[in-house]
Amino acid sequence: MSFIIHRHLPDERAVFTLFRDVYLGGAPVWAVQEWVRKEAAAYYASEVRRFSSNWVEFRGRTIAKARKHRSALLSGRSGPATFYLEDLPPLLSRQLDEHLNDADLPPGWDPAEKKQTILGGLHYVSEGNLSEREKAVFHMAGVMRMPRPEIAAAMGITTGGVKAHFSNAWKAMNEDHVDVDGLEWLLSGRRREPVHT
């Protein structure tokens, strides 16, 4: 699902950033985008906002509320959770731009070319040859950097199963000629030399 722009929210960029932060904050076990939009619409329509509240306070309250909501959904279920996965390119494009504008790029990397190959890899996670479990594990382990035990508990599988799905996702991407070095560079948050295989 891509982020949908609604003109009735005054600061679309701030709402998107809040959505991204809530989504990347843990297991996506509810429709985060819709939830954040409702919270933001209520905030913008409220009398409290007009007189005493500000966006920073609202953002902090909303993130705390999201953590509680996520915890309640994960603890109040029997069996594996249902995941509401979002498209990664819109979520991570700003982070990618920041990384690529850094002067510490690995030698030989053309920023414009690398941006396209990495965005292609992020798109592959949604539309490529990954199983639903591999997609979910990649979002939680690769992008959100959640600990394996938390992912395993949410998915109703073992930590070994999480490790296998994550490994299989990387293997499938490598076999389908996705820029795995670029993806790993972006998702690790480290500036490193590419690994040639």
Side-chain angles (χ1 to χ4, degrees), residues 18-197:
L18 176 60
F19 153 66
R20 184 194 66 207
D21 292 347
V22 170
Y23 181 81
L24 296 176
V29 291
W30 82 101
V32 174
Q33 183 178 161
E34 181 182 328
W35 184 84
V36 167
R37 289 201 166 284
K38 286 179 181 175
E39 295 290 318
Y43 165 77
Y44 281 119
S46 73
E47 292 295 321
V48 173
R49 178 198 154 278
R50 291 186 194 145
F51 298 107
S52 65
S53 185
N54 67 46
W55 180 261
V56 174
E57 291 171 357
F58 166 74
R59 183 181 179 286
R61 285 192 312 270
T62 303
I63 289 173
K65 187 175 178 181
R67 281 189 200 115
K68 289 179 184 175
H69 187 60
R70 181 179 288 116
S71 292
L73 289 171
L74 287 170
S75 65
R77 65 175 171 67
S78 60
T82 300
F83 299 105
Y84 298 82
L85 303 178
E86 294 284 344
D87 289 335
L88 292 177
L91 285 172
L92 300 177
S93 64
R94 190 178 323 156
Q95 177 184 339
L96 176 58
D97 287 340
E98 289 169 4
H99 277 39
L100 290 173
N101 290 330
D102 187 346
D104 194 19
L105 283 177
W109 279 21
D110 173 52
E113 179 185 323
K114 194 51 69 171
K115 179 177 181 174
Q116 293 309 310
T117 63
I118 293 172
L119 287 173
L122 293 172
H123 181 72
Y124 181 93
V125 174
S126 298
E127 304 297 327
N129 294 322
L130 301 182
S131 71
E132 292 304 311
R133 281 191 170 196
E134 288 167 348
K135 289 176 189 178
V137 166
F138 193 87
H139 275 249
M140 291 184 282
V143 178
M144 298 170 187
R145 311 302 269 181
M146 290 173 56
R148 281 188 193 152
E150 287 181 30
I151 299 168
M155 296 186 77
I157 61 176
T158 66
T159 55
V162 171
K163 182 179 179 181
H165 287 307
F166 194 46
S167 176
N168 289 340
W170 282 112
K171 181 180 177 187
M173 287 188 279
N174 194 43
E175 289 172 353
D176 287 341
H177 308 290
V178 170
D179 182 1
V180 294
D181 290 333
L183 271 179
E184 186 178 355
W185 172 81
L186 172 68
L187 298 176
S188 71
R190 294 188 307 267
R191 313 304 197 266
R192 67 170 188 79
E193 298 292 325
V195 177
H196 299 285
T197 56

